């Protein structure tokens, strides 16, 4: 049965331009009021944890949301600036009825978003989000604008002990590992990791040099972090052996990308490969199965197969990877973009800092470098093109686009892949082509992109 059509929630919560619908103060207040009312139906005295990233809009959105929650008799506690997985962890371990993150992850500073976790630390299902959305529209119709105005409670700096508790849990996941030989360059993307990373890496005796750790409210993800892993890779190449590893987070630090000691970028596919092999060797990869997505490279599938590991593909979005993992019992899954889910521990969502620690743990245990651990991963030529669109018209209703897609699929056959989809968080169409030759790859990527641009492009 298909999921109900939704108007506010995308693949990763509610997201948009800060100050514009649905992230204007009136609607944010209504969102808080609707969430609080729903929680009050289940909990006699609901407690809600709010965390936020470093965007200048995150504070006023947090305050407007808290005001709405409190109008429904929910108690609000702030963790201040903290990562998305940090809120997930604290929600389930500290007895909160729900956890909310104010962040637009990898989007520009002008955007923002609202993500919700249940008391168990998992993101809400599509069905529950749809039910909440119905309540939001009800409250929007009932409320007068004047009722939603006001400063609301202070959200910053939040409770320092909560951030320290989360950092202590991260350290506990690798407590028995000697990391003292590692020298790491760490890019915090001027985002949420800026408030947490210094509580983790140096305290594990990892020699760490930090970069992009001075947020201004407008520099999150700006030419840094997981959106621009080439920055860290370039610095490591220039350093000529001074670093063993480069690590880059996105704005809310739920994903991580890497650079090896030679300055080569290492993405989520490679992390899945090295983690799957390590977990197999320790009997921790349930069913010898890894869950990836439609965007993962064919080379990953081939490399895993050589190691006797089966790969399943889920829809793009870490919540859909998680759904497939829960369905199959898989203990490892993730995305090429660096969202990695380790379900052999007590994590409930992708965590960039945890991913970085697990990669370092594999390096420490094996005695090998990152490059050595993934040297047999032969990546098929792949290109991803993003086309800004006016609207997300169903692809089947765009004849010229469908014609270009079908022509590519017929030409490539089993020696390539074509994935065309809309972004769940931005007004973008994404075209991904894999092929044995770069010539065919670029030809078909161009043809499909041009068709989309002509039909609905900006």
């Amino acid at each position: 049965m298909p999921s109900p059509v939704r108007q506010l929630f995308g693949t990763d919560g509610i997201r948009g331009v800060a100050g514009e619908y649905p992230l204007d103060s009136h609607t944010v207040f209504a969102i808080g009021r609707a969430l609080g009312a729903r929680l009050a139906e289940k909990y006699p005295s609901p407690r809600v944890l709010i965390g936020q990233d470093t965007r200048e809009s995150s504070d006023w959105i947090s305050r407007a949301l808290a005001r709405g929650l409190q109008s429904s008799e929910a108690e609000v506690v702030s963790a201040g600036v903290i990562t998305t997985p940090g809120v997930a962890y604290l929600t389930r371990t500290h007895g909160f009825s729900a956890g909310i993150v104010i962040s637009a992850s990898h989007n520009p500073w002008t955007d923002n978003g609202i993500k919700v976790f249940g008391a168990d630390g998992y993101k809400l299902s599509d069905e529950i989000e749809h039910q909440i959305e119905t309540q939001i529209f009800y409250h929007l119709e009932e409320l007068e604008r004047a009722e939603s105005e006001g400063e609301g409670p202070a959200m910053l700096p939040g409770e320092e002990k909560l951030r320290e508790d989360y950092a202590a849990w991260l350290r506990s996941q690798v407590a028995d590992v000697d990391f003292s030989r590692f020298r790491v360059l760490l890019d915090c993307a001027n985002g949420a990791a800026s408030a947490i990373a210094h509580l983790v890496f140096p305290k594990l005796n990892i020699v760490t040099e930090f970069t992009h750790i001075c947020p201004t409210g407008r520099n999150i993800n700006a030419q840094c972090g997981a959106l621009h892993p080439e920055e860290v890779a370039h610095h490591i190449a220039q350093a000529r052996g001074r670093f063993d590893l480069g690590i880059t987070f996105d704005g809310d630090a739920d994903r991580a990308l890497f650079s090896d000691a030679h300055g080569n970028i290492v993405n989520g596919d490679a992390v899945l490969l090295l983690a799957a092999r390590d977990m197999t060797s320790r009997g921790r990869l349930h069913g010898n199965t890894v869950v990836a997505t439609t965007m993962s490279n064919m080379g990953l599938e081939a490399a895993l197969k050589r190691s006797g590991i089966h790969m399943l593909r889920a829809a793009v979005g870490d919540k859909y990877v998680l759904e497939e993992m829960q369905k199959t019992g898989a203990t490892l899954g993730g995305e090429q973009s660096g969202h990695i889910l380790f379900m052999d521990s007590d994590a409930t969502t992708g965590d960039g800092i945890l991913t970085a620690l697990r990669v370092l743990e594999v390096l420490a245990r094996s005695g090998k470098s990152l490059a050595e651990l993934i040297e047999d991963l032969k990546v098929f030529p792949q290109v991803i093109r993003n086309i800004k669109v006016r609207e997300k018209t169903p692809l089947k209703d765009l004849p010229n686009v469908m014609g270009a897609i079908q022509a590519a699929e017929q030409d490539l056959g089993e020696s390539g892949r074509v994935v065309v989809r809309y972004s769940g968080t931005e007004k973008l169409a994404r075209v991904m082509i894999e092929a044995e030759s770069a010539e065919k790859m670029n030809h078909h990527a161009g043809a499909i992109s041009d068709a989309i641009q002509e039909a609905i492009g900006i």
Side-chain angles (χ1 to χ4, degrees), residues 385-387 404 429-431 444-455:
R385 296 192 181 180
N386 297 318
I387 303 96
R430 302 195 194 279
V431 178
H444 290 300
I448 297 171
S449 299
D450 289 346
I452 294 173
Q453 181 67 46
E454 184 176 345

Side-chain angles (χ1 to χ4, degrees), residues 380-382 412 415 433-443:
F380 275 56
Q382 182 189 82
L412 296 176
S415 63
I433 304 288
E434 280 178 7
E436 288 183 317
S437 74
E439 183 181 1
K440 281 192 173 185
M441 173 190 73
N442 288 321
H443 167 72

Side-chain angles (χ1 to χ4, degrees), residues 21 42 67 123 179 204 208 225 312 318:
Y21 177 84
K42 187 175 181 180
R67 182 172 162 80
K123 291 181 180 178
F179 291 119
L204 288 169
T208 310
L312 299 175
D318 61 318

Side-chain angles (χ1 to χ4, degrees), residues 232-309:
V232 158
H234 173 72
H235 286 301
I236 286 182
Q238 294 288 87
R240 300 182 184 278
R242 191 156 62 90
F243 296 104
D244 301 291
L245 191 68
I247 304 169
T248 66
F249 302 119
D250 64 339
D252 66 339
D254 61 354
R255 60 187 176 107
L257 294 178
F258 300 85
S259 167
D260 67 18
H262 307 293
N264 299 308
I265 296 171
V266 176
N267 67 16
D269 281 353
V271 172
L272 285 175
L273 178 62
L274 72 87
R277 287 172 170 168
D278 175 73
M279 290 169 66
T280 297
S281 70
R282 295 187 291 142
R284 298 177 71 169
L285 190 70
H286 184 267
N288 272 358
T289 297
V290 171
V291 178
T293 75
T294 54
M295 302 299 279
S296 285
N297 196 275
M298 294 171 69
L300 170 62
E301 195 165 7
L304 288 170
K305 188 175 182 179
R306 289 194 296 272
S307 296
I309 300 170

